[in-house]
């Protein structure tokens, strides 16, 4: 274990989403604890800066200090597929990505539907990263019998989910919501109507038809979201503590349905992924423009890379620029409380196959901050929006405290050069699998140091 940190970060761009403060500050750490935070222009100005979006101006320092990030949705593949990722490699990758807390989905082999597997999924060297296990909502994630939620929560589960598969049977879905409510945790649902999406390879649209890929229609997500809302509305009328979280939403239509339901005051939250805010289905055709570089409705392709990179196969699929814009808008207006990585490492064997046969998923925990910062640098998302979506938002869902900058607290923070550029590659990534379409792309935001509970967990 590394030593407790003692250092002085002078003149950094500091963002504290817990205190609602941002600006130029000096942060001193003594023996792993935050000793003092000195805002150059005073706390009143720091509060106003946070409220205005926490964006640094010209001439401000480009090296930032943020609280350690929190991911509400990752896959570390342990037990069952440790060759793709395991706790030791996944937490090393997480610390490199600036994360201090990661919630792990239960799609392990076997599924984490029992206490023994739940505990095995977080065992091993963690490099100081806090792991929060999510238990399977149903036995074997098969959707036919609700898990023993009380026992799983007692063993540390922070939520239940059958991620990767929707709970298609509405009676079982309802029972799972009730079981989660009784245990005081949320149900996290992967929204997909299988009768509409079976065999789908890419978003329904011009790219899928040009490339001859089987369509996964937006209605497949919207239908599942609407149905989930109907059940939630019914459940909360008698059990108001029920909580439903819809993960990795990808369509403007589904996000609008969520926003409307939230307006009724029902306990519904959702998240979006880095890839759905920044990439489009045109990438499958070899286009490499960020989603915000393409006007909504513009269907022209500008390929600069080979088509059919199977690292782009993901569920839900990448969509048109308009849907990516909808995902960013959901972060701005608060419909989505978090950016969840859906870090989904896969071995080369599962990815180096025909596009439609490739396993779904992108390994992204080391790039998510950079992808979000790319949107920030393009003027799409304020720094306050990004930092909240990567810290206090997911903390709220998971029922944990986000790291702040309160003097006396153990330091859990990430030092990132906002203006720095790096390229993901086998040489720079620490995760075991590098199935990402961002390999060799210039990305902004270089993590210099991640400190967790007072100890350096990653140092460049
Ligand atoms: Zn999923």
């Amino acid at each position: 274990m590394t030593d407790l940190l003692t250092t002085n970060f002078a003149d950094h761009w500091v963002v504290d989403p817990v205190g609602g403060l941002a600006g130029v500050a000096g942060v001193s750490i003594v023996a792993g604890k935050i000793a003092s935070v000195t805002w150059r222009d005073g706390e009143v100005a720091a509060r106003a800066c946070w409220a205005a979006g926490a964006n640094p101006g010209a001439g401000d320092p480009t090296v930032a200090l943020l609280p350690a990030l929190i991911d509400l949705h990752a896959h570390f593949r342990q037990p069952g597929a440790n060759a793709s990722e395991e706790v030791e490699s996944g937490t090393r990758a997480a610390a490199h990505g600036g994360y201090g807390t990661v919630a792990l989905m239960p799609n392990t082999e076997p599924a984490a539907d029992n206490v023994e597997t739940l505990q095995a999924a977080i065992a091993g060297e963690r490099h100081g990263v806090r792991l929060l296990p999510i238990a399977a909502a149903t036995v074997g994630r098969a959707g036919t019998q609700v898990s023993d939620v009380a026992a799983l929560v007692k063993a540390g589960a922070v939520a239940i989910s059958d991620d990767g598969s929707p709970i298609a049977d509405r009676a079982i879905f309802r029972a799972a919501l009730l079981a989660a409510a009784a245990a005081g945790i949320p149900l996290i649902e992967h929204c997909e109507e299988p009768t509409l999406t079976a065999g789908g390879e890419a978003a329904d649209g011009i790219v899928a038809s040009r490339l001859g890929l089987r369509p996964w229609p937006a209605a497949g997500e919207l239908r599942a979201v609407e149905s989930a809302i109907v059940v939630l509305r019914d459940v909360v009328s008698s059990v108001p503590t029920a909580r439903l979280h819809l993960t990795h939403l990808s369509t403007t239509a589904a996000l609008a349905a969520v926003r409307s339901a939230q307006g009724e005051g029902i306990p519904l939250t959702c998240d979006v992924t880095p890839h759905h805010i920044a990439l489009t289905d045109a990438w499958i055709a070899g286009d490499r423009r960020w989603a915000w570089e393409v006007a909504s409705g513009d269907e022209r392709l500008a390929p600069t890379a080979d088509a059919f990179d199977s690292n782009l196969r993901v569920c839900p699929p990448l969509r048109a620029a308009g849907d990516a814009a909808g995902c960013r808008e959901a972060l701005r207006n608060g419909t989505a409380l978090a950016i969840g990585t859906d870090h989904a490492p896969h071995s080369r064997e599962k990815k180096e196959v025909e596009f439609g046969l490739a396993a779904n998923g992108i390994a992204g925990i080391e790039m998510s901050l950079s992808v979000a910062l790319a949107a920030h640098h393009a003027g799409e998302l304020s720094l306050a929006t990004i930092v909240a979506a990567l810290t206090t938002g997911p903390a709220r869902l998971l029922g944990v405290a986000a790291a702040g900058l309160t003097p006396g607290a153990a330091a859990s923070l990430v030092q990132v050069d906002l203006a720095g550029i790096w390229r993901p590659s086998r040489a720079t990534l620490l995760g075991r699998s590098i199935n990402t379409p961002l390999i060799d792309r210039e990305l902004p935001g270089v993590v210099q140091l991640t400190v967790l509970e007072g100890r350096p967990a990653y140092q460049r």
Side-chain angles (χ1 to χ4, degrees):
M1 201 176 248
T2 51
D3 288 340
L4 288 167
L5 185 71
T6 293
T7 193
N8 198 18
F9 297 104
D11 284 337
H12 278 58
W13 187 257
V14 177
V15 182
D16 175 7
V18 175
L21 302 160
V24 181
V27 177
S28 110
I29 312 282
V30 176
K33 289 202 160 83
I34 295 169
S36 67
V37 180
T38 310
W39 299 96
R40 186 189 66 189
D41 302 329
E43 268 201 37
V44 172
R47 207 164 292 285
C49 178
W50 166 263
N55 300 315
D60 282 326
T62 61
V63 181
L65 278 186
L66 316 175
L69 311 182
I70 300 176
D71 189 8
L72 53 71
H73 185 149
H75 302 272
F76 283 176
R77 306 297 186 208
Q78 172 182 319
N82 297 45
S84 297
E85 194 80 286
E86 58 188 350
V87 164
E88 192 280 324
S89 61
T91 51
R92 202 151 29 95
H96 175 220
Y99 284 87
T101 300
V102 180
L104 294 177
M105 282 295 175
N107 334 26
T108 47
E109 295 161 30
D113 62 6
N114 62 85
V115 168
E116 191 188 351
T117 308
L118 192 80
Q119 288 169 343
I122 59 167
E125 172 57 54
R126 304 179 203 180
H127 303 288
V129 175
R130 172 171 60 167
L131 295 181
L132 304 173
I134 297 170
T138 70
V139 174
R141 293 175 48 251
T144 52
Q145 183 192 339
V146 177
S147 307
D148 184 351
V149 179
L152 289 159
V153 168
K154 209 169 157 203
V158 294
I160 55 170
S161 179
D162 276 0
D163 181 46
S165 322
I167 306 173
D169 183 316
R170 297 289 85 185
I172 301 293
F173 176 76
R174 188 174 190 281
L177 251 180
L178 287 166
I185 57 167
L187 169 66
I188 302 178
E189 178 68 347
H190 164 126
C191 288
E192 176 175 351
E193 169 47 56
T195 57
L196 284 165
T197 62
E201 296 170 313
D204 193 12
I206 195 81
V207 172
S209 49
R210 282 185 194 169
L211 296 179
L213 294 172
R214 286 195 298 270
W216 197 121
E221 181 172 273
L222 178 60
R223 186 78 191 82
V225 166
E226 288 175 337
S227 165
I229 290 170
V230 168
V231 177
L232 177 64
R233 205 181 271 138
D234 172 68
V235 164
V236 294
S237 67
S238 52
V239 183
T241 54
R243 289 159 66 205
L244 177 62
H245 180 85
L246 309 179
T247 195
H248 55 49
L249 292 186
S250 64
T251 60
T252 303
L255 289 160
V258 169
R259 185 164 179 75
S260 160
Q262 288 171 337
E264 300 168 24
I266 62 173
L268 178 67
T269 53
C270 71
D271 67 81
V272 294
T273 72
H275 42 276
H276 288 112
I277 68 174
L279 313 186
T280 67
D281 57 354
W283 280 52
I284 305 168
D287 203 319
R288 285 296 178 269
R289 289 173 295 172
W290 291 120
W292 47 84
E293 294 171 342
V294 182
S296 278
D298 183 354
E299 292 178 339
R300 285 170 300 180
L301 297 173
T304 53
D306 290 344
F308 299 109
D309 178 356
S310 63
N311 290 318
L312 294 158
R313 181 139 206 257
V314 65
C315 181
L318 299 173
R319 299 190 183 278
D323 282 312
C327 291
R328 297 192 300 278
E329 175 58 21
L331 289 168
R332 283 192 296 265
N333 68 25
T335 304
L337 60 63
I339 297 172
T341 67
D342 197 1
H343 176 70
H346 286 296
S347 64
R348 291 176 53 173
E349 292 69 33
K350 289 194 165 172
K351 278 295 198 183
E352 290 185 356
V353 293
E354 190 181 312
F355 189 85
L357 298 176
N360 279 308
I362 295 174
I365 204 164
E366 295 176 75
M367 279 76 79
S368 59
L369 176 58
S370 287
V371 170
L373 287 172
H376 166 68
H377 289 310
E380 291 285 328
L381 297 173
S382 72
L383 204 53
T385 296
I386 289 171
V387 173
L390 293 169
T391 58
T392 46
R396 187 148 56 89
L397 176 78
L398 299 167
V400 297
L405 289 167
T406 317
S412 286
L413 45 83
V414 51
Q415 182 191 40
V416 53
D417 180 355
L418 301 174
I421 295 288
W422 69 293
R423 289 172 190 267
S425 71
R426 184 61 283 176
T428 59
L429 294 174
L430 303 181
R432 190 152 287 169
S433 299
I434 58 166
N435 52 294
T436 163
L438 298 171
I439 289 295
D440 289 332
R441 187 182 179 98
E442 280 194 351
L443 296 178
V446 180
V447 172
Q448 314 273 16
L449 174 69
T450 304
V451 179
L452 303 177
E453 295 291 318
R455 297 175 198 275
Y458 167 81
Q459 193 146 19
R460 189 176 159 81

